[in-house]
Amino acid sequence: MCGIIGYNGMSNAENILIKGLKNLEYRGYDSSGVALMNEDKIHIVKSEGRLAFLEQKLKSKNILSDMGIGHTRWATHGKPNEANAHPHTSQDRKFTVVHNGIIENFPIIRKELEKKGYKFCSETDTEVIPQLLSYHYHGDIKDAMQKTFVSLEGSFAAAILCKDDKDTIYVAKKASPLAVGRGNRENFISSDVGAIAEYAEEAVFLDDGEFAEIRKDRISFFDFNLKEKEKEFLKIAITPEDLTKGKYEHFMLKEIYEQPEKIKNLLKSKIKNNKIFLDEIAELSLEIMKAEKIYIVACGSAYHAGLAGKIAIEEMCRIPVEVDIASEFRYRNPPVNEKTPVIIISQSGETADSIAALRLANSKGSFVIGIVNVLPSTIANESDYVIPTKAGREIAVATTKGYLTQVCALYMLALHIADIRKTLTDESIRFYTEELLQIPDKISEILSDTSEIKTLSQKYSCKNDFFFIGRNTDFAVASEASLKLKEISYINSSAYPAGELKHGTIALIEKDTPVFALCANERLFKKTLSNIEEVISRGADVLCISQKGQIDKEKYNALEIPHCTDIFLPLLEIIPMQLFAYFVAENKGCNIDMPKNLAKSVTVE
Ligand code: G6P
């Protein structure tokens, strides 16, 4: 997804902007550009394709500047070419803008401006912003900003340079994230706080309907009525190690290997008297007692984490749970109210559909618990209560540790709620807590020897269509395993509840169709085994994923994982599946950390 970076300080802006854009690369992009202010003018340099092309162009121009803005574009309106790349300027070259989000009423604005004689050079929605700024500008930049941004529908995080003010970057924000970072006589902006973490000491996110003026030694905030506001800066909690691959070939592999430690730290921080206690939601006991149903709402892998969470919450807390895809939930008029808490799960905290779902739930009186990794972020800021997943910065587009910590946080939440509602005995809570505490070592055991998975990946890399089947917890994992394979190796695959296959989809099974049968769930093992037989008899090439000693390895191809109580199986069973997807993508020479067409944080709906 698009990324914004901005710098105003004493150093060479070009270097800092390029570094910032590199930090944003992982989000996915197809073109990039910068605008650098110096004494003569605003210099704009743009390029299609990789950032290295932009870097080369900039080097040859040798522009001296200590203030500028930059952008990586992920095409929405208009092809990914140089003309459509940001920054965009007004016809009179007064205003230069980079923008994330979508201006929904841009066709009407563009038509009106064209009638007034304005000429447009791109197909983008963004170009209406500098043109409109120029139209409304009569010597007062903030006045022009107010008139422009209140007339825009949709979402925007925009950074603006104006020729008439060579010392300031102006920003505006609605429904698309924008952070302002503060350093020592140098200030920054970014759509992703991680991109400025190595420079800025502290940061604050703009709220919807806010402007900011970024000078070298001063930052001022305003609402859309131009009333000045105070905002509190927070220390940025990202370490330099988070930003490098270390000894690993890819960020994805590094992040897979970080999982035992991340789960261990998450659990340890919440154990009191051999029980899980989530202090973040300590004051929620009354509302939790009254809860009649829980909604879990998320996108992508976070939605799959929700599938695992549903099973645990229903089993342990005896509350019905509905898991919803955020882009569906937000337009469905769901019957949520003060008795239906809504859990929003998001690694980035910035997914547009999840933010919209959160706001809808809030407007209907539900209290919202955000399970979020990136803090601060919009979802963390707007949730009534936040459970941080503490996975650290996740760079690979395909989530691994982000997903796993979400699942773990949901289990912790289930145990916390079960304790409050007394739906589990103290003894059971202790049993589950101890089981959870053993998970990190079991993940390490899987990670300690990946040779079998590597060999399997060689066998399967040439296949085109995969099925992942399973029941209950196994199905929750199958859904995520299938997505991982699709995302990074571009192999078509579907996840199916094993018992549902026979109602149509089994027609697709033929000789050598690869079927990964997740059958580790002890309670349903025999049931899944019948489904395995059904596909084997139709010629499928089946690989079972089972607990150690569970399956007859003479008879079935099986990949074994350490023993674990059924409910927590997703925390283990997904590990070999993440590795499998990784090795297949490696065998196929795919761009593992930045798969085509995908973005780390999807800030448009
Ligand atoms: C994108 C990413 C997925 C992620 C989903 C939800 O599609 O590519 O990996 O699961 O967004 O992201 P979130 O940040 O809300 O967890």
Side-chain angles (χ1 to χ4, degrees):
M1 282 287 117
C2 303
I4 291 178
I5 187 90
Y7 174 74
N8 193 359
M10 308 300 205
S11 305
N12 181 333
E14 177 183 324
N15 295 344
I16 293 175
L17 293 183
I18 289 292
K19 188 76 216 305
L21 290 175
K22 282 186 180 159
N23 291 339
L24 290 169
E25 259 189 311
Y26 78 101
R27 295 164 65 103
Y29 70 103
D30 39 51
S31 57
S32 57
V34 296
L36 292 162
M37 176 79 88
N38 72 8
E39 281 313 307
D40 335 320
K41 61 173 194 167
I42 300 172
H43 298 263
I44 295 175
V45 183
K46 309 201 261 190
S47 176
E48 196 182 323
R50 315 304 303 164
L51 255 178
F53 303 142
L54 178 73
E55 220 177 333
Q56 260 167 19
K57 271 192 178 176
L58 272 165
K59 279 219 172 84
S60 66
K61 293 191 188 295
N62 212 3
I63 306 161
L64 268 183
S65 167
D66 56 15
M67 180 176 99
I69 53 180
H71 191 261
T72 46
R73 175 171 186 256
W74 188 81
T76 54
H77 291 82
K79 288 183 208 73
N81 57 24
E82 195 171 314
N84 290 332
H86 300 209
H88 291 286
T89 51
S90 54
Q91 186 173 283
D92 58 7
R93 313 285 289 174
K94 263 229 152 79
F95 290 93
T96 299
V97 172
V98 294
H99 160 234
N100 282 3
I102 293 176
I103 307 302
E104 288 167 357
N105 57 342
F106 91 96
I108 306 167
I109 299 176
R110 182 166 170 153
K111 217 177 252 162
E112 279 171 12
L113 287 170
E114 278 171 340
K115 267 195 236 151
K116 293 186 167 74
Y118 283 77
K119 297 257 172 321
F120 283 74
C121 329
S122 79
E123 302 159 282
T124 64
D125 53 331
T126 300
E127 200 181 349
V128 299
I129 305 178
Q131 300 279 41
L132 210 50
L133 282 164
S134 142
Y135 172 71
H136 288 303
Y137 181 60
H138 306 288
D140 182 341
I141 299 171
K142 283 202 312 238
D143 177 64
M145 282 180 64
Q146 185 196 30
K147 293 198 168 93
T148 299
F149 285 102
V150 293
S151 70
L152 300 180
E153 286 167 19
S155 55
F156 50 80
I160 301 144
L161 297 181
C162 176
K163 246 179 164 177
D164 292 351
D165 182 351
K166 295 202 156 48
D167 301 319
T168 313
I169 301 173
Y170 291 87
V171 295
K173 188 269 185 217
K174 186 181 130 195
S176 197
L178 195 71
V180 176
R182 192 154 68 180
N184 183 15
R185 286 181 67 74
E186 55 179 5
N187 294 314
F188 307 82
I189 54 162
S190 182
S191 48
D192 180 333
V193 76
I196 51 172
E198 60 188 291
Y199 300 111
E201 284 147 23
E202 39 183 28
V204 63
F205 270 84
L206 288 193
D207 290 323
D208 282 351
E210 283 183 351
F211 295 132
E213 285 176 347
I214 319 293
R215 301 207 176 80
K216 292 188 197 320
D217 53 358
R218 188 158 50 90
I219 300 170
S220 320
F221 300 99
F222 304 88
D223 63 20
F224 276 9
N225 295 317
L226 302 182
K227 192 163 169 277
E228 195 155 355
K229 295 177 85 171
E230 289 293 318
K231 285 181 80 76
E232 194 191 339
F233 280 77
L234 294 176
K235 240 186 133 29
I236 301 177
I238 293 172
T239 64
E241 294 80 62
D242 283 336
L243 303 170
T244 57
K245 288 184 214 159
K247 61 178 181 183
Y248 297 95
E249 187 81 7
H250 296 98
F251 278 107
M252 182 175 175
L253 195 61
K254 176 188 172 216
E255 288 158 7
I256 288 174
Y257 274 85
E258 281 173 0
Q259 292 180 113
E261 186 210 334
K262 297 297 176 192
I263 298 292
K264 193 185 273 175
N265 292 343
L266 183 60
L267 287 167
K268 285 260 161 80
S269 66
K270 296 295 164 208
I271 301 230
K272 285 193 187 98
N273 306 327
N274 300 322
K275 278 186 182 179
I276 300 281
F277 184 79
L278 298 175
D279 40 351
E280 293 90 351
I281 55 167
E283 55 191 81
L284 260 185
S285 304
L286 210 64
E287 283 82 353
I288 284 173
M289 285 306 288
K290 283 194 282 188
E292 289 172 355
K293 183 177 188 176
I294 292 177
Y295 282 82
I296 299 181
V297 187
C299 304
S301 297
Y303 167 78
H304 296 151
L307 297 178
K310 169 190 167 87
I311 296 166
I313 297 172
E314 288 191 340
E315 174 76 30
M316 295 178 181
C317 316
R318 313 309 301 152
I319 309 176
V321 178
E322 195 149 322
V323 192
D324 240 307
I325 289 174
S327 54
E328 290 294 316
F329 177 89
R330 65 180 290 192
Y331 292 118
R332 216 186 53 233
N333 191 14
V336 292
N337 55 41
E338 63 293 344
K339 288 191 181 149
T340 56
V342 174
I343 300 170
I344 303 279
I345 311 173
S346 176
Q347 188 285 127
S348 63
E350 299 297 351
T351 303
D353 285 317
S354 304
I355 294 172
L358 184 162
R359 290 179 183 159
L360 177 71
N362 251 331
S363 72
K364 286 173 173 276
S366 300
F367 65 90
V368 174
I369 300 175
I371 295 187
V372 188
N373 189 36
V374 178
L375 306 177
S377 60
T378 306
I379 293 179
N381 293 351
E382 295 190 20
S383 295
D384 297 305
Y385 301 89
V386 180
I387 302 174
T389 53
K390 302 185 179 173
R393 187 165 157 86
E394 192 176 59
I395 306 252
V397 166
T399 178
T400 51
K401 61 175 181 172
Y403 161 82
L404 208 73
T405 49
Q406 288 164 351
V407 175
C408 187
L410 283 160
Y411 292 156
M412 291 158 71
L413 179 64
L415 284 168
H416 179 99
I417 297 176
D419 194 20
I420 290 172
R421 290 175 66 115
K422 298 284 163 239
T423 43
L424 286 180
T425 60
D426 278 0
E427 199 185 333
S428 300
I429 291 181
R430 255 194 300 277
F431 165 78
Y432 282 128
T433 308
E434 274 158 26
E435 281 281 308
L436 270 181
L437 283 169
Q438 288 173 29
I439 295 283
D441 285 346
K442 293 177 182 173
I443 301 175
S444 299
E445 191 184 325
I446 301 173
L447 293 174
S448 67
D449 182 5
T450 59
S451 52
E452 200 182 345
I453 305 168
K454 230 178 206 163
T455 311
L456 282 166
S457 75
Q458 276 148 9
K459 171 184 167 194
Y460 284 104
S461 289
C462 57
K463 300 275 185 174
N464 289 326
D465 295 292
F466 277 71
F467 284 93
F468 288 83
I469 61 168
R471 289 170 179 260
N472 193 265
T473 43
D474 289 330
F475 173 65
V477 181
S479 307
E480 175 60 6
S482 168
L483 182 65
K484 281 285 95 56
L485 187 67
K486 274 189 279 217
E487 279 179 307
I488 59 169
S489 74
Y490 317 138
I491 294 177
N492 179 41
S493 76
S494 345
Y496 238 76
E500 181 65 11
L501 211 58
K502 56 188 168 294
H503 299 291
T505 307
I506 203 163
L508 298 173
I509 305 289
E510 50 191 44
K511 186 164 172 346
D512 292 336
T513 304
V515 176
F516 279 23
L518 293 107
C519 55
N521 189 300
E522 196 106 58
R523 186 168 62 89
L524 297 169
F525 175 68
K526 288 201 180 118
K527 302 286 170 198
T528 311
L529 207 54
S530 311
N531 306 127
I532 293 171
E533 288 296 343
E534 283 161 12
V535 291
I536 288 179
S537 62
R538 282 156 183 86
D541 175 0
V542 175
L543 178 77
C544 302
I545 291 84
S546 59
Q547 298 195 34
K548 252 186 204 139
Q550 198 179 27
I551 203 161
D552 179 357
K553 281 191 94 174
E554 304 271 293
K555 192 166 169 208
Y556 301 94
N557 297 323
L559 196 60
E560 291 183 326
I561 57 167
H563 178 77
C564 168
T565 189
D566 281 347
I567 214 148
F568 298 146
L569 271 169
L571 290 173
L572 292 185
E573 219 176 359
I574 193 60
I575 310 293
M577 298 293 91
Q578 293 170 341
L579 287 164
F580 177 76
Y582 174 84
F583 291 132
V584 170
E586 194 185 37
N587 297 339
K588 292 185 71 183
C590 301
N591 188 350
I592 296 183
D593 286 334
M594 278 184 271
K596 67 169 190 258
N597 300 343
L598 300 185
K600 183 74 188 153
S601 153
V602 181
T603 49
V604 294
E605 71 167 289

